[in-house]
Amino acid sequence: MCENVDATGAALVKREADLLILDLTGFDHLNQLAGVGALIRSRAGAPILVLCAYEHSAWLPELMAYGTFDYRICPVLDDELQEAVKQGLKVPADPAAAMQQELLDKEKELRDLLGVQRSLQRALSGIDNVAAMSSQICLALCNFPGVRHTSLLHMKARGDLQLVAQEARNHLDLGRLLQRRERLLQSPLRDIFPPLMAVSRGEMVLLDAPEKAGDPELAMQLHDRNVRMVLSLPLRAEPGGPEMGAICLMFDRHITFSREQFACFASLAQFVSFGLGMSELKHQNDALSGQLSQMSTVDTVTGAANRRAGEDTLDNEIRRARRYGLPLAVLTFDVGSFRSANDLYGSPVGDHALRKIAETVMGRLRTSDTLARMRGEEFLIVATHTTSTDAVRLAEKLRTAITEADLPGAGFGATVSISLGVTQVNADEGGATVLDRLDTALHRAKRAGRNCIELATL
């Protein structure tokens, strides 16, 4: 028995040890383990048993960089420790056969890891749908031998950790186990349940027996679902970056992982992190693209389409009407006496009034119709499947509605009216010709005293 690393090193120099047991209890930080790593390297493959608390199980793959060893997660029962010591001292009857079997086991281990990796890569192709991709990730992770349940926890806005997907081969519902599916970091199990610990601590957590978490009820529920070991890894887009969540794998057997397996699990967690990050980035880009598209086609003051979008819509509807032989009507209107009212009440009130006029008009159009602001107080309406007769009726309805609308500004409604030009598109004319005819009709309506309707002539 040695009290510290230096004493252990000195004792090993004096005499050879068949099995070195390193108890990491009492260590608080990974940077204190440099001396332990040197001891592991000095053994040059000779048997070592490392005892490590499950809240510090992330140290195990770090120490494996110094050499191979067996390990147990603390607290360790006496029977468990005795069995581990026997295994460490056991000398194979046929060393050559044992080495051959070890190579075969290593080959199978790598095949299993490559299979899971390929399945996960296929799952990550569906970044368009986060929920579906998360389900496929959990399904892929279930391909690892012994895994009976997998889950993916994702950090949403304002630190809200959510259960977004799970795959169960043992009828375990993690949401029911935690008694919630959102705000999981507020769970009373936060400090003892591996996936929650992985997120809050930002490091891997390995629990090789449910009862070692210290919660008898949790241990009983996991044992009832044939869970014997739980491995959880944090998700982050980049090393040292904020945690995005965690993946959790529950096993139906105890497995002592090798350095390669730990490295593969860490790599899989990185793949999942990249997939979630790419999915979030794509959705953000789609949202920004939608906003830019709206900004490029929508008039910011009125909410109607802008001039370019209005002209494009007119051209598209003319082609469609010509292709299918459908009637198409176009209306234009100008808000009369608006500038004097705008000068009287100010541009903020004027803009509000224009927006109210646009809302009044759009409220009386069909979803297939389009309202566009062409310039100043002049608007265009593209009315699909509409004849000139129906367009005149629509114009009269809009004229009355604007006259009666409750617009901003005391007495403002009495000063606002609209003049309208109306036409039906002919089969052989283009958008520019239609707009010229409408403009002529609109000028006639204004000269006639405003608040009237003129039908455009050919």
Side-chain angles (χ1 to χ4, degrees):
M1 295 288 291
C2 299
E3 293 295 330
N4 53 57
V5 172
D6 292 337
T8 303
L12 289 174
V13 171
K14 294 179 180 178
R15 64 179 182 179
E16 184 178 347
D18 295 326
L19 174 65
L20 174 63
I21 301 177
L22 299 173
D23 187 355
L24 303 185
T25 303
F27 288 92
D28 295 322
H29 302 286
L30 181 62
N31 57 16
Q32 299 175 341
L33 300 180
V36 175
L39 286 177
I40 294 173
R41 184 186 290 116
S42 69
R43 294 288 288 171
I48 302 174
L49 175 63
V50 174
L51 306 180
C52 180
Y54 86 95
E55 59 266 25
H56 295 315
S57 50
W59 295 352
L60 295 174
E62 299 290 339
L63 290 174
M64 286 179 177
Y66 295 95
T68 59
F69 56 81
D70 191 12
Y71 65 85
R72 293 294 182 273
I73 302 297
C74 297
V76 183
L77 300 177
D78 289 342
D79 292 344
E80 182 183 4
L81 180 58
Q82 291 176 12
E83 181 61 29
V85 171
K86 288 180 181 178
Q87 290 294 325
L89 295 173
K90 185 177 181 180
V91 178
D94 188 344
M99 182 173 294
Q100 181 65 25
Q101 185 60 48
E102 184 177 343
L103 291 174
L104 292 174
D105 292 341
K106 184 66 68 176
E107 182 181 351
K108 181 180 182 305
E109 171 188 305
L110 293 176
R111 282 200 308 269
D112 292 336
L113 293 173
L114 287 174
V116 174
Q117 191 175 57
R118 284 194 292 267
S119 299
L120 189 60
Q121 288 172 340
R122 288 193 295 270
L124 294 175
S125 63
I127 63 173
D128 290 341
N129 188 322
V130 176
M133 181 183 71
S134 300
S135 296
Q136 289 300 311
I137 289 172
C138 292
L139 186 62
L141 293 175
C142 271
N143 290 329
F144 191 85
V147 174
R148 305 298 295 167
H149 185 281
T150 58
S151 57
L152 193 154
L153 285 63
H154 192 197
M155 188 73 76
K156 301 293 184 178
R158 297 181 296 277
D160 181 7
L161 183 65
Q162 298 182 7
L163 172 63
V164 294
Q166 61 180 324
E167 178 68 22
R169 306 290 172 84
N170 57 356
H171 306 292
L172 171 65
D173 182 356
L174 188 58
R176 182 175 297 178
L177 178 69
L178 297 175
Q179 298 181 359
R180 63 182 71 198
R181 296 177 184 274
E182 300 180 351
R183 302 188 181 281
L184 297 179
L185 289 180
Q186 297 180 15
S187 168
L189 300 178
R190 170 178 176 169
D191 296 327
I192 61 172
F193 194 50
L196 305 185
M197 293 174 63
V199 175
S200 60
R201 299 172 66 92
E203 59 187 16
M204 181 201 81
V205 177
L206 174 62
L207 180 64
D208 69 345
E211 58 272 16
K212 292 183 180 181
D215 187 313
E217 184 177 351
L218 173 64
M220 183 176 63
Q221 293 185 66
L222 291 176
H223 273 289
D224 287 345
R225 297 302 180 185
N226 198 28
V227 174
R228 299 295 179 263
M229 188 171 75
V230 182
L231 172 67
S232 296
L233 299 103
L235 302 176
R236 52 171 66 91
E238 57 185 2
E243 280 68 42
M244 302 170 58
I247 54 174
C248 178
L249 298 89
M250 299 187 185
F251 299 80
D252 63 3
R253 67 197 72 166
H254 180 272
I255 301 174
T256 302
F257 293 125
S258 65
R259 180 186 180 188
E260 292 78 12
Q261 287 173 317
F262 277 127
C264 183
F265 284 128
S267 177
L268 294 180
Q270 195 67 49
F271 284 156
V272 174
S273 300
F274 287 152
L276 290 177
M278 290 297 293
S279 181
E280 289 183 347
L281 185 60
K282 183 180 185 305
H283 283 287
Q284 291 174 5
N285 287 340
D286 290 345
L288 288 174
S289 178
Q291 293 174 9
L292 289 174
S293 177
Q294 184 179 29
M295 291 171 62
S296 65
T297 60
V298 176
D299 177 62
T300 56
V301 173
T302 63
N306 59 24
R307 177 168 187 157
R308 174 188 242 174
E311 291 176 345
D312 289 344
T313 299
L314 177 59
D315 291 337
N316 291 335
E317 290 299 335
I318 286 176
R319 285 193 294 269
R320 194 167 72 91
R322 187 177 299 152
R323 183 183 306 118
Y324 297 108
L326 300 171
L328 176 66
V330 186
L331 302 81
T332 184
F333 68 87
D334 180 83
V335 183
S337 305
F338 185 80
R339 290 182 181 175
S340 60
N342 203 28
D343 292 339
L344 179 62
Y345 295 102
S347 59
V349 173
D351 288 347
H352 190 186
L354 273 182
R355 185 160 55 251
K356 179 68 174 179
I357 290 170
E359 290 173 356
T360 301
V361 172
M362 286 189 286
R364 284 157 178 79
L365 298 180
R366 301 164 299 179
T367 56
S368 60
D369 299 335
T370 301
L371 174 68
R373 185 184 183 190
M374 302 300 283
R375 64 179 71 84
E377 298 84 47
E378 188 175 323
F379 292 81
L380 180 76
I381 299 172
V382 181
T384 61
H385 301 190
T386 303
T387 64
S388 58
T389 302
D390 292 332
V392 171
R393 292 195 191 99
L394 173 61
E396 180 60 35
K397 185 191 301 183
L398 296 178
R399 187 188 66 81
T400 303
I402 295 302
T403 302
E404 297 174 351
D406 182 18
L407 299 175
F412 193 39
T415 67
V416 175
S417 62
I418 60 173
S419 302
L420 299 103
V422 180
T423 190
Q424 181 175 339
V425 178
N426 293 310
D428 57 348
E429 68 178 336
T433 306
V434 174
L435 293 176
D436 286 342
R437 292 199 294 112
L438 278 174
D439 192 55
T440 301
L442 182 61
H443 278 84
R444 289 203 310 270
K446 289 180 179 180
R447 288 195 299 269
R450 296 187 176 275
N451 198 29
C452 61
I453 302 167
E454 284 286 335
L455 183 62
T457 58
L458 292 175

